[in-house]
Amino acid sequence: MGVLRSTESLEAEAFREMLLRSSGSLEFGAWKTGSGAVRRWTDGEERKGHGTVVCVTSAVSFLGFAIVNRLLALGYSVRLALETQEDLDKLRDMEMFGEMGRDGVWVVMADVMDLDSLCHAFDGCTGVFHTSAFVDPGGVSGYSKHMADMEARVAERVIEACVRTQSVTRCVFTSSLLACVWRQNSPRNRRLPTIVDETCWSDESLCREKKLWLALGKTMAEKAAWRVARGRNLKLVTVCPALVTGPRFCRQNSTGSIAYLKGAHEMFAEGLLATVDVNKVAEAHACVYEAMSGSACGRYICYDHIIQRAEEAAELERQLGIANRISGETPTDHPTWFKLCNRKISRLMSSRRRCSYDVYSILYN
């Protein structure tokens, strides 16, 4: 078994380019609170984040990177919670410290299995984005039963740390669509497909039976998060993205993608195999976070494309270097018993865009 670590890190140059574009800085080992954490904008516009400090776990993972980028663009000050020495070394190699930096980005090492370490990392932040997931770089599938158990234990510790950290009031927890779609004895209505939405939960016993370890881990972790947060002084929302794609995802997130696609043939046959661009997932996280002061609550399924044609499945297989993992012998005109629904996140994101447009119209008209 390989070393337990977060989903594959971005290459140093890609992350360096993001930081240079984002008018943020990188300060290691410490962070500011109060007025010193407020970011300054050259155009005089004070953006949505208003310098609010938030923490992102697994900040150099494929998804974590995109969330950091989105938060910086919105004006948040972001603390990057890193888990491994390798991630820290990559940041050091970028030479983004000292005189090269500006205000806005901080780094802290955080052991996600250690409650005190997490509390230390979150202290001074008003919100936490927990994007951490585990893979086994030396494994065939990239994910094992042991990692599913680890994922659930980490979720418990992260939410408990959020509750214990006085400054933290909100947490956006990254789950997966896999925590919704694997259900035992799902009804099959030949006239109308069964809707799969945020009310649906994957069956843990079915995941164990089929050895769908990533689906099991995401289901157990999300349930653990809700269990720990219940009745506590913390606002929790979970985002359940489909297979996360985007520029260079085959190289930067191949292990996590292959783990996601275990059981893909069945998902494809039943109309449940979907993808979502990494930037849309990042936007969804930020949108949900900002809406938590109002109506945002519960779970949010997030996808932007359902793979329905064999040609699409074959192209995804080609990109990831896997053969006959998805479409197999499934006929092109096969009936689908289920219909995915992302209406909840779509309505929220649309309303937030309208609100932003209205604000800017008032400011500039």
Side-chain angles (χ1 to χ4, degrees):
M1 181 181 292
V3 178
L4 288 175
R5 53 160 302 167
S6 299
T7 308
E8 291 186 35
S9 298
L10 288 173
E11 294 183 354
E13 187 60 31
F15 197 74
R16 176 185 174 87
E17 290 175 1
M18 181 277 289
L19 291 174
L20 287 172
R21 287 197 307 269
S22 67
S23 74
S25 73
L26 194 59
E27 294 189 14
F28 171 69
W31 50 83
K32 306 172 189 174
T33 56
S35 60
V38 179
R39 302 179 67 206
R40 296 182 292 274
W41 303 97
T42 56
D43 59 5
E45 176 188 348
E46 193 173 17
R47 303 191 185 183
K48 289 183 181 180
H50 300 291
T52 301
V53 183
V54 295
C55 184
V56 179
T57 64
S58 294
V60 293
S61 68
F62 184 57
L63 176 57
F65 157 81
I67 291 174
V68 170
N69 198 13
R70 182 60 182 160
L71 292 170
L72 289 171
L74 290 172
Y76 289 89
S77 292
V78 184
R79 188 175 303 167
L80 314 180
L82 307 183
E83 301 164 34
T84 67
Q85 185 63 39
E86 179 185 350
D87 290 339
L88 178 58
D89 290 342
K90 285 188 176 183
L91 287 178
R92 282 175 170 158
D93 290 342
M94 294 177 205
E95 299 179 353
M96 292 295 296
F97 304 97
E99 295 180 356
M100 292 183 64
R102 304 174 195 164
D103 295 334
V105 183
W106 294 266
V107 174
V108 62
M109 295 301 293
D111 181 354
V112 292
M113 294 299 293
D114 184 270
L115 187 58
D116 290 338
S117 177
L118 288 168
C119 289
H120 176 68
F122 299 163
D123 186 33
C125 297
T126 59
V128 171
F129 293 79
H130 178 56
T131 71
S132 179
F134 291 97
V135 297
D136 176 7
V140 176
S141 69
Y143 204 90
S144 67
K145 181 180 178 181
H146 174 61
M147 286 163 192
D149 294 331
M150 288 277 291
E151 190 114 31
R153 291 200 296 272
V154 167
E156 291 176 346
R157 286 167 173 80
V158 167
I159 300 304
E160 184 64 34
C162 288
V163 171
R164 294 191 186 189
T165 305
Q166 187 174 3
S167 62
V168 176
T169 59
R170 308 177 194 176
C171 177
V172 179
F173 185 99
T174 308
S175 182
S176 173
L177 183 59
L178 293 179
C180 307
V181 299
W182 290 102
R183 299 185 298 158
Q184 194 81 264
N185 301 322
S186 297
R188 285 171 167 77
N189 187 322
R190 290 188 177 275
R191 296 184 61 186
L192 295 172
T194 299
I195 300 298
V196 176
D197 59 13
E198 289 81 3
T199 64
C200 301
W201 284 91
S202 290
D203 188 298
E204 293 181 27
S205 61
L206 178 64
C207 293
R208 289 190 176 92
E209 177 186 328
K210 294 178 175 290
K211 298 183 179 180
L212 302 167
W213 304 128
L214 184 59
L216 177 64
K218 291 300 183 182
T219 303
M220 291 172 58
E222 188 183 352
K223 287 183 175 180
W226 284 113
R227 183 172 58 250
V228 175
R230 187 179 298 119
R232 314 287 288 276
N233 190 27
L234 176 73
K235 293 181 180 179
L236 175 66
V237 163
T238 60
V239 179
C240 303
L243 175 65
V244 180
T245 61
R248 302 185 298 276
F249 88 97
C250 299
R251 176 161 52 90
Q252 295 168 358
N253 198 41
S254 60
T255 307
S257 299
I258 292 172
Y260 185 103
L261 290 172
K262 190 171 185 181
H265 174 75
E266 190 172 341
M267 286 191 287
F268 173 69
E270 296 191 335
L272 297 173
L273 182 59
T275 61
V276 60
D277 184 83
V278 66
N279 291 317
K280 179 171 182 177
V281 185
E283 182 183 358
H285 278 70
C287 184
V288 163
Y289 179 82
E290 294 187 334
M292 289 172 76
S293 59
S295 60
C297 61
R299 311 171 81 202
Y300 289 86
I301 286 178
C302 184
Y303 68 88
D304 55 19
H305 180 68
I306 299 174
I307 296 179
Q308 297 176 311
R309 297 185 293 112
E311 294 83 358
E312 295 176 307
E315 175 59 20
L316 184 58
E317 290 173 335
R318 185 194 66 78
Q319 291 178 12
L320 289 169
I322 56 177
N324 300 319
R325 182 78 65 91
I326 303 175
S327 58
E329 301 299 324
T330 303
T332 56
D333 59 347
H334 70 281
T336 54
W337 304 110
F338 303 97
K339 182 177 181 180
L340 289 172
C341 178
N342 64 350
R343 187 178 298 114
K344 187 179 178 184
I345 190 66
S346 296
R347 285 178 174 174
L348 178 65
M349 294 176 72
S350 295
S351 66
R352 299 299 291 182
R353 290 193 188 103
R354 286 197 298 271
C355 289
S356 297
Y357 176 79
D358 291 343
V359 168
Y360 290 124
S361 295
I362 293 171
L363 287 174
Y364 295 107
N365 290 332

CSV table of all heavy atoms in Angstrom, one decimal, residues 222-277:
chain,number,residue,atom,x,y,z
A,222,GLU,N,-19.6,11.7,4.8
A,222,GLU,CA,-20.7,12.8,4.8
A,222,GLU,C,-21.6,12.5,5.9
A,222,GLU,O,-22.0,13.5,6.7
A,222,GLU,CB,-21.4,12.9,3.5
A,222,GLU,CG,-22.4,14.0,3.4
A,222,GLU,CD,-23.2,14.1,2.2
A,222,GLU,OE1,-22.9,13.4,1.2
A,222,GLU,OE2,-24.1,15.0,2.1
A,223,LYS,N,-22.0,11.3,6.1
A,223,LYS,CA,-22.9,11.0,7.2
A,223,LYS,C,-22.3,11.3,8.6
A,223,LYS,O,-22.9,11.8,9.5
A,223,LYS,CB,-23.3,9.5,7.2
A,223,LYS,CG,-24.3,9.2,6.1
A,223,LYS,CD,-24.7,7.7,6.2
A,223,LYS,CE,-25.8,7.4,5.1
A,223,LYS,NZ,-26.2,5.9,5.2
A,224,ALA,N,-21.0,11.0,8.7
A,224,ALA,CA,-20.2,11.3,9.9
A,224,ALA,C,-20.2,12.8,10.2
A,224,ALA,O,-20.4,13.3,11.3
A,224,ALA,CB,-18.8,10.8,9.8
A,225,ALA,N,-20.0,13.6,9.1
A,225,ALA,CA,-20.0,15.1,9.2
A,225,ALA,C,-21.4,15.6,9.8
A,225,ALA,O,-21.4,16.4,10.7
A,225,ALA,CB,-19.7,15.7,7.9
A,226,TRP,N,-22.4,15.1,9.2
A,226,TRP,CA,-23.8,15.5,9.6
A,226,TRP,C,-24.0,15.1,11.1
A,226,TRP,O,-24.7,15.8,11.8
A,226,TRP,CB,-24.8,15.0,8.7
A,226,TRP,CG,-24.9,15.7,7.4
A,226,TRP,CD1,-24.6,15.2,6.1
A,226,TRP,CD2,-25.3,17.1,7.2
A,226,TRP,NE1,-24.8,16.2,5.2
A,226,TRP,CE2,-25.3,17.3,5.8
A,226,TRP,CE3,-25.7,18.1,8.0
A,226,TRP,CZ2,-25.6,18.6,5.2
A,226,TRP,CZ3,-26.1,19.3,7.5
A,226,TRP,CH2,-26.0,19.5,6.1
A,227,ARG,N,-23.6,13.9,11.4
A,227,ARG,CA,-23.8,13.4,12.8
A,227,ARG,C,-23.1,14.2,13.8
A,227,ARG,O,-23.7,14.6,14.8
A,227,ARG,CB,-23.3,11.9,12.8
A,227,ARG,CG,-23.6,11.3,14.2
A,227,ARG,CD,-23.2,9.8,14.1
A,227,ARG,NE,-21.9,9.5,13.7
A,227,ARG,CZ,-21.5,9.0,12.6
A,227,ARG,NH1,-22.4,8.7,11.7
A,227,ARG,NH2,-20.2,8.8,12.3
A,228,VAL,N,-21.9,14.6,13.5
A,228,VAL,CA,-21.1,15.4,14.5
A,228,VAL,C,-21.7,16.8,14.6
A,228,VAL,O,-21.7,17.4,15.7
A,228,VAL,CB,-19.6,15.5,14.1
A,228,VAL,CG1,-18.8,16.4,15.0
A,228,VAL,CG2,-19.0,14.1,14.2
A,229,ALA,N,-22.1,17.4,13.5
A,229,ALA,CA,-22.6,18.8,13.4
A,229,ALA,C,-24.0,18.9,14.0
A,229,ALA,O,-24.4,20.0,14.4
A,229,ALA,CB,-22.6,19.3,12.0
A,230,ARG,N,-24.7,17.8,14.1
A,230,ARG,CA,-26.1,17.9,14.5
A,230,ARG,C,-26.2,18.5,15.9
A,230,ARG,O,-25.6,18.0,16.9
A,230,ARG,CB,-26.8,16.5,14.5
A,230,ARG,CG,-28.3,16.5,14.8
A,230,ARG,CD,-28.9,15.1,14.7
A,230,ARG,NE,-28.7,14.6,13.4
A,230,ARG,CZ,-28.0,13.5,13.1
A,230,ARG,NH1,-27.4,12.8,14.1
A,230,ARG,NH2,-27.9,13.0,11.9
A,231,GLY,N,-27.0,19.5,16.0
A,231,GLY,CA,-27.3,20.2,17.3
A,231,GLY,C,-26.1,21.0,17.9
A,231,GLY,O,-26.2,21.5,19.0
A,232,ARG,N,-25.1,21.2,17.0
A,232,ARG,CA,-24.0,22.0,17.5
A,232,ARG,C,-24.0,23.4,16.8
A,232,ARG,O,-24.8,23.7,15.9
A,232,ARG,CB,-22.6,21.3,17.0
A,232,ARG,CG,-22.6,19.8,17.3
A,232,ARG,CD,-22.4,19.5,18.8
A,232,ARG,NE,-21.1,19.9,19.3
A,232,ARG,CZ,-20.0,19.0,19.2
A,232,ARG,NH1,-20.1,17.9,18.5
A,232,ARG,NH2,-18.9,19.4,19.7
A,233,ASN,N,-23.2,24.3,17.3
A,233,ASN,CA,-23.2,25.7,16.9
A,233,ASN,C,-22.3,25.8,15.6
A,233,ASN,O,-21.3,26.5,15.6
A,233,ASN,CB,-22.7,26.6,18.0
A,233,ASN,CG,-22.9,28.1,17.6
A,233,ASN,OD1,-23.8,28.4,16.8
A,233,ASN,ND2,-22.1,28.9,18.2
A,234,LEU,N,-22.7,25.2,14.5
A,234,LEU,CA,-22.0,25.2,13.3
A,234,LEU,C,-23.0,25.1,12.1
A,234,LEU,O,-23.8,24.1,12.1
A,234,LEU,CB,-20.9,24.1,13.2
A,234,LEU,CG,-20.2,24.0,11.9
A,234,LEU,CD1,-19.2,25.2,11.8
A,234,LEU,CD2,-19.4,22.7,11.8
A,235,LYS,N,-22.9,25.9,11.1
A,235,LYS,CA,-23.7,25.8,9.9
A,235,LYS,C,-22.9,24.9,8.9
A,235,LYS,O,-21.7,25.2,8.6
A,235,LYS,CB,-23.9,27.1,9.3
A,235,LYS,CG,-24.8,28.0,10.1
A,235,LYS,CD,-25.1,29.4,9.4
A,235,LYS,CE,-26.0,30.3,10.2
A,235,LYS,NZ,-26.2,31.6,9.5
A,236,LEU,N,-23.5,23.8,8.5
A,236,LEU,CA,-22.8,22.8,7.6
A,236,LEU,C,-23.6,22.7,6.4
A,236,LEU,O,-24.8,22.5,6.4
A,236,LEU,CB,-22.7,21.5,8.3
A,236,LEU,CG,-22.1,20.3,7.5
A,236,LEU,CD1,-20.7,20.6,7.1
A,236,LEU,CD2,-22.2,19.0,8.2
A,237,VAL,N,-22.9,22.7,5.2
A,237,VAL,CA,-23.5,22.4,3.9
A,237,VAL,C,-22.6,21.4,3.2
A,237,VAL,O,-21.3,21.5,3.4
A,237,VAL,CB,-23.7,23.7,3.1
A,237,VAL,CG1,-23.9,23.3,1.6
A,237,VAL,CG2,-24.9,24.4,3.6
A,238,THR,N,-23.1,20.4,2.5
A,238,THR,CA,-22.3,19.5,1.7
A,238,THR,C,-22.5,19.7,0.3
A,238,THR,O,-23.7,19.9,-0.2
A,238,THR,CB,-22.5,18.1,2.2
A,238,THR,OG1,-23.9,17.7,1.9
A,238,THR,CG2,-22.2,17.9,3.6
A,239,VAL,N,-21.5,19.6,-0.5
A,239,VAL,CA,-21.6,19.7,-2.0
A,239,VAL,C,-21.2,18.3,-2.5
A,239,VAL,O,-20.1,17.7,-2.1
A,239,VAL,CB,-20.6,20.7,-2.6
A,239,VAL,CG1,-20.7,20.7,-4.1
A,239,VAL,CG2,-21.0,22.1,-2.0
A,240,CYS,N,-22.0,17.7,-3.4
A,240,CYS,CA,-21.8,16.4,-3.9
A,240,CYS,C,-21.5,16.4,-5.4
A,240,CYS,O,-22.4,16.3,-6.2
A,240,CYS,CB,-23.0,15.5,-3.6
A,240,CYS,SG,-23.5,15.4,-1.9
A,241,PRO,N,-20.3,16.7,-5.8
A,241,PRO,CA,-20.0,16.8,-7.2
A,241,PRO,C,-19.9,15.5,-7.9
A,241,PRO,O,-19.5,14.4,-7.3
A,241,PRO,CB,-18.6,17.5,-7.2
A,241,PRO,CG,-18.0,17.1,-5.9
A,241,PRO,CD,-19.1,16.9,-4.9
A,242,ALA,N,-20.2,15.5,-9.2
A,242,ALA,CA,-19.9,14.3,-10.1
A,242,ALA,C,-18.4,14.2,-10.3
A,242,ALA,O,-17.6,14.8,-9.6
A,242,ALA,CB,-20.7,14.5,-11.4
A,243,LEU,N,-18.1,13.3,-11.3
A,243,LEU,CA,-16.6,13.2,-11.6
A,243,LEU,C,-16.1,14.5,-12.0
A,243,LEU,O,-16.6,15.1,-13.0
A,243,LEU,CB,-16.5,12.2,-12.8
A,243,LEU,CG,-15.1,12.0,-13.3
A,243,LEU,CD1,-14.2,11.4,-12.3
A,243,LEU,CD2,-15.1,11.1,-14.6
A,244,VAL,N,-15.1,15.0,-11.3
A,244,VAL,CA,-14.6,16.3,-11.6
A,244,VAL,C,-13.6,16.3,-12.7
A,244,VAL,O,-12.6,15.6,-12.7
A,244,VAL,CB,-13.9,16.9,-10.3
A,244,VAL,CG1,-13.3,18.3,-10.5
A,244,VAL,CG2,-14.9,16.9,-9.1
A,245,THR,N,-13.8,17.1,-13.7
A,245,THR,CA,-13.0,17.2,-14.9
A,245,THR,C,-12.5,18.6,-15.1
A,245,THR,O,-12.8,19.5,-14.2
A,245,THR,CB,-13.7,16.7,-16.2
A,245,THR,OG1,-14.9,17.6,-16.4
A,245,THR,CG2,-14.2,15.3,-16.0
A,246,GLY,N,-11.8,18.9,-16.2
A,246,GLY,CA,-11.3,20.3,-16.4
A,246,GLY,C,-10.0,20.2,-17.1
A,246,GLY,O,-9.5,19.1,-17.4
A,247,PRO,N,-9.3,21.3,-17.3
A,247,PRO,CA,-8.0,21.3,-18.0
A,247,PRO,C,-7.0,20.5,-17.2
A,247,PRO,O,-6.8,20.6,-16.0
A,247,PRO,CB,-7.6,22.8,-17.9
A,247,PRO,CG,-8.9,23.6,-17.8
A,247,PRO,CD,-9.8,22.7,-17.0
A,248,ARG,N,-6.4,19.6,-18.0
A,248,ARG,CA,-5.3,18.7,-17.4
A,248,ARG,C,-5.8,17.8,-16.3
A,248,ARG,O,-5.0,17.3,-15.6
A,248,ARG,CB,-4.1,19.6,-16.9
A,248,ARG,CG,-3.5,20.5,-18.0
A,248,ARG,CD,-2.3,21.2,-17.5
A,248,ARG,NE,-2.6,22.1,-16.3
A,248,ARG,CZ,-3.1,23.3,-16.4
A,248,ARG,NH1,-3.3,23.8,-17.6
A,248,ARG,NH2,-3.3,24.0,-15.4
A,249,PHE,N,-7.1,17.5,-16.2
A,249,PHE,CA,-7.6,16.7,-15.1
A,249,PHE,C,-7.0,15.2,-15.2
A,249,PHE,O,-6.8,14.6,-14.2
A,249,PHE,CB,-9.1,16.7,-15.1
A,249,PHE,CG,-9.8,15.6,-15.9
A,249,PHE,CD1,-10.2,14.4,-15.3
A,249,PHE,CD2,-10.0,15.8,-17.3
A,249,PHE,CE1,-10.8,13.4,-16.1
A,249,PHE,CE2,-10.6,14.8,-18.0
A,249,PHE,CZ,-11.0,13.6,-17.4
A,250,CYS,N,-6.8,14.8,-16.4
A,250,CYS,CA,-6.3,13.4,-16.6
A,250,CYS,C,-4.9,13.3,-16.0
A,250,CYS,O,-4.5,12.2,-15.5
A,250,CYS,CB,-6.2,13.0,-18.1
A,250,CYS,SG,-7.8,13.1,-18.9
A,251,ARG,N,-4.1,14.3,-16.0
A,251,ARG,CA,-2.8,14.3,-15.5
A,251,ARG,C,-2.8,14.6,-14.0
A,251,ARG,O,-2.0,14.1,-13.2
A,251,ARG,CB,-1.8,15.2,-16.2
A,251,ARG,CG,-0.4,15.3,-15.7
A,251,ARG,CD,0.5,15.9,-16.8
A,251,ARG,NE,0.0,17.1,-17.3
A,251,ARG,CZ,0.2,18.3,-16.9
A,251,ARG,NH1,1.0,18.5,-15.8
A,251,ARG,NH2,-0.2,19.4,-17.4
A,252,GLN,N,-3.6,15.6,-13.6
A,252,GLN,CA,-3.5,16.1,-12.3
A,252,GLN,C,-4.5,15.4,-11.3
A,252,GLN,O,-4.3,15.5,-10.1
A,252,GLN,CB,-3.9,17.6,-12.3
A,252,GLN,CG,-2.9,18.5,-13.1
A,252,GLN,CD,-3.3,19.9,-13.3
A,252,GLN,OE1,-4.5,20.2,-13.0
A,252,GLN,NE2,-2.5,20.7,-14.0
A,253,ASN,N,-5.4,14.7,-11.8
A,253,ASN,CA,-6.4,14.0,-10.9
A,253,ASN,C,-6.7,12.6,-11.4
A,253,ASN,O,-7.8,12.1,-11.2
A,253,ASN,CB,-7.7,14.9,-10.8
A,253,ASN,CG,-8.5,14.5,-9.6
A,253,ASN,OD1,-8.0,14.2,-8.5
A,253,ASN,ND2,-9.8,14.4,-9.7
A,254,SER,N,-5.8,12.0,-12.1
A,254,SER,CA,-6.1,10.7,-12.7
A,254,SER,C,-6.4,9.6,-11.7
A,254,SER,O,-7.3,8.8,-11.9
A,254,SER,CB,-4.9,10.2,-13.6
A,254,SER,OG,-3.7,10.1,-12.8
A,255,THR,N,-5.7,9.6,-10.5
A,255,THR,CA,-5.9,8.5,-9.5
A,255,THR,C,-7.3,8.6,-9.0
A,255,THR,O,-8.0,7.7,-8.8
A,255,THR,CB,-4.8,8.6,-8.4
A,255,THR,OG1,-3.5,8.6,-9.0
A,255,THR,CG2,-5.0,7.4,-7.5
A,256,GLY,N,-7.7,9.9,-8.6
A,256,GLY,CA,-9.0,10.1,-8.0
A,256,GLY,C,-10.1,9.8,-9.1
A,256,GLY,O,-11.2,9.2,-8.7
A,257,SER,N,-9.8,10.1,-10.3
A,257,SER,CA,-10.8,9.8,-11.4
A,257,SER,C,-11.0,8.3,-11.6
A,257,SER,O,-12.2,7.9,-11.7
A,257,SER,CB,-10.4,10.5,-12.7
A,257,SER,OG,-10.3,11.9,-12.6
A,258,ILE,N,-10.0,7.6,-11.6
A,258,ILE,CA,-10.1,6.2,-11.8
A,258,ILE,C,-10.8,5.5,-10.6
A,258,ILE,O,-11.6,4.6,-10.8
A,258,ILE,CB,-8.7,5.5,-12.0
A,258,ILE,CG1,-8.1,6.0,-13.4
A,258,ILE,CG2,-8.7,4.0,-12.0
A,258,ILE,CD1,-6.6,5.7,-13.6
A,259,ALA,N,-10.5,6.0,-9.4
A,259,ALA,CA,-11.2,5.5,-8.3
A,259,ALA,C,-12.7,5.8,-8.4
A,259,ALA,O,-13.6,4.9,-8.0
A,259,ALA,CB,-10.6,6.1,-7.0
A,260,TYR,N,-13.1,7.0,-8.9
A,260,TYR,CA,-14.5,7.3,-9.0
A,260,TYR,C,-15.2,6.4,-10.0
A,260,TYR,O,-16.3,6.1,-9.8
A,260,TYR,CB,-14.6,8.8,-9.5
A,260,TYR,CG,-16.0,9.3,-9.6
A,260,TYR,CD1,-16.4,10.2,-8.6
A,260,TYR,CD2,-16.8,9.0,-10.6
A,260,TYR,CE1,-17.7,10.7,-8.7
A,260,TYR,CE2,-18.1,9.5,-10.7
A,260,TYR,CZ,-18.6,10.3,-9.7
A,260,TYR,OH,-19.9,10.8,-9.8
A,261,LEU,N,-14.5,6.0,-11.0
A,261,LEU,CA,-15.1,5.2,-12.1
A,261,LEU,C,-15.2,3.7,-11.8
A,261,LEU,O,-15.6,2.9,-12.7
A,261,LEU,CB,-14.3,5.4,-13.4
A,261,LEU,CG,-14.4,6.9,-14.0
A,261,LEU,CD1,-13.5,7.1,-15.1
A,261,LEU,CD2,-15.9,7.1,-14.4
A,262,LYS,N,-14.9,3.3,-10.6
A,262,LYS,CA,-15.1,1.9,-10.3
A,262,LYS,C,-16.7,1.7,-10.2
A,262,LYS,O,-17.3,2.4,-9.5
A,262,LYS,CB,-14.5,1.5,-9.0
A,262,LYS,CG,-14.5,0.0,-8.7
A,262,LYS,CD,-13.7,-0.4,-7.5
A,262,LYS,CE,-13.7,-1.9,-7.3
A,262,LYS,NZ,-12.9,-2.3,-6.1
A,263,GLY,N,-17.2,0.8,-11.0
A,263,GLY,CA,-18.6,0.7,-11.2
A,263,GLY,C,-19.2,1.6,-12.2
A,263,GLY,O,-20.5,1.7,-12.3
A,264,ALA,N,-18.4,2.2,-13.0
A,264,ALA,CA,-18.9,3.2,-14.0
A,264,ALA,C,-19.8,2.5,-15.1
A,264,ALA,O,-20.7,3.2,-15.6
A,264,ALA,CB,-17.7,3.8,-14.7
A,265,HIS,N,-19.5,1.3,-15.4
A,265,HIS,CA,-20.4,0.6,-16.4
A,265,HIS,C,-21.8,0.6,-16.0
A,265,HIS,O,-22.7,0.9,-16.8
A,265,HIS,CB,-19.9,-0.8,-16.6
A,265,HIS,CG,-20.8,-1.6,-17.6
A,265,HIS,ND1,-20.8,-1.4,-18.9
A,265,HIS,CD2,-21.7,-2.6,-17.3
A,265,HIS,CE1,-21.7,-2.2,-19.5
A,265,HIS,NE2,-22.3,-2.9,-18.5
A,266,GLU,N,-22.1,0.3,-14.7
A,266,GLU,CA,-23.4,0.3,-14.2
A,266,GLU,C,-24.0,1.7,-14.1
A,266,GLU,O,-25.2,1.9,-14.4
A,266,GLU,CB,-23.4,-0.4,-12.8
A,266,GLU,CG,-24.8,-0.7,-12.3
A,266,GLU,CD,-24.8,-1.5,-11.0
A,266,GLU,OE1,-23.8,-2.2,-10.7
A,266,GLU,OE2,-25.8,-1.5,-10.3
A,267,MET,N,-23.2,2.7,-13.7
A,267,MET,CA,-23.7,4.0,-13.6
A,267,MET,C,-24.1,4.5,-15.0
A,267,MET,O,-25.1,5.2,-15.2
A,267,MET,CB,-22.6,4.9,-13.0
A,267,MET,CG,-22.5,4.8,-11.5
A,267,MET,SD,-21.4,6.1,-10.7
A,267,MET,CE,-19.8,5.6,-11.3
A,268,PHE,N,-23.2,4.2,-16.0
A,268,PHE,CA,-23.5,4.7,-17.3
A,268,PHE,C,-24.8,4.0,-17.9
A,268,PHE,O,-25.6,4.7,-18.5
A,268,PHE,CB,-22.3,4.3,-18.2
A,268,PHE,CG,-22.5,4.5,-19.7
A,268,PHE,CD1,-22.6,5.8,-20.2
A,268,PHE,CD2,-22.7,3.4,-20.6
A,268,PHE,CE1,-22.9,6.0,-21.6
A,268,PHE,CE2,-22.9,3.6,-21.9
A,268,PHE,CZ,-23.0,4.9,-22.4
A,269,ALA,N,-25.0,2.8,-17.6
A,269,ALA,CA,-26.1,2.1,-18.1
A,269,ALA,C,-27.4,2.6,-17.5
A,269,ALA,O,-28.5,2.6,-18.1
A,269,ALA,CB,-26.0,0.6,-17.8
A,270,GLU,N,-27.3,3.1,-16.3
A,270,GLU,CA,-28.5,3.6,-15.6
A,270,GLU,C,-28.7,5.1,-15.6
A,270,GLU,O,-29.5,5.7,-14.9
A,270,GLU,CB,-28.5,3.1,-14.2
A,270,GLU,CG,-28.6,1.6,-14.1
A,270,GLU,CD,-28.9,1.0,-12.7
A,270,GLU,OE1,-28.5,1.7,-11.7
A,270,GLU,OE2,-29.4,-0.1,-12.6
A,271,GLY,N,-27.8,5.8,-16.4
A,271,GLY,CA,-28.0,7.2,-16.6
A,271,GLY,C,-27.5,8.0,-15.4
A,271,GLY,O,-27.9,9.2,-15.1
A,272,LEU,N,-26.5,7.5,-14.6
A,272,LEU,CA,-26.1,8.1,-13.4
A,272,LEU,C,-24.6,8.5,-13.5
A,272,LEU,O,-24.0,9.0,-12.5
A,272,LEU,CB,-26.2,7.2,-12.2
A,272,LEU,CG,-27.7,6.8,-11.9
A,272,LEU,CD1,-27.8,5.7,-10.8
A,272,LEU,CD2,-28.5,8.0,-11.4
A,273,LEU,N,-24.0,8.4,-14.6
A,273,LEU,CA,-22.6,8.8,-14.8
A,273,LEU,C,-22.5,10.2,-15.3
A,273,LEU,O,-22.9,10.5,-16.5
A,273,LEU,CB,-21.8,7.8,-15.8
A,273,LEU,CG,-20.4,8.1,-16.0
A,273,LEU,CD1,-19.6,8.1,-14.6
A,273,LEU,CD2,-19.7,7.2,-17.0
A,274,ALA,N,-22.1,11.1,-14.5
A,274,ALA,CA,-22.0,12.5,-14.8
A,274,ALA,C,-20.7,13.1,-14.5
A,274,ALA,O,-19.9,12.6,-13.8
A,274,ALA,CB,-23.1,13.3,-14.0
A,275,THR,N,-20.4,14.3,-15.2
A,275,THR,CA,-19.1,15.0,-14.9
A,275,THR,C,-19.5,16.4,-14.6
A,275,THR,O,-20.6,16.9,-14.9
A,275,THR,CB,-18.2,14.9,-16.2
A,275,THR,OG1,-18.9,15.6,-17.3
A,275,THR,CG2,-17.9,13.5,-16.6
A,276,VAL,N,-18.4,17.1,-14.1
A,276,VAL,CA,-18.6,18.5,-13.8
A,276,VAL,C,-17.2,19.2,-13.9
A,276,VAL,O,-16.2,18.6,-13.4
A,276,VAL,CB,-19.2,18.8,-12.4
A,276,VAL,CG1,-18.4,18.2,-11.3
A,276,VAL,CG2,-19.5,20.2,-12.2
A,277,ASP,N,-17.2,20.4,-14.5
A,277,ASP,CA,-15.9,21.1,-14.6
A,277,ASP,C,-15.5,21.6,-13.2
A,277,ASP,O,-16.3,22.0,-12.4
A,277,ASP,CB,-16.1,22.3,-15.5
A,277,ASP,CG,-14.8,23.0,-15.8
A,277,ASP,OD1,-14.0,22.6,-16.6
A,277,ASP,OD2,-14.5,24.0,-15.1
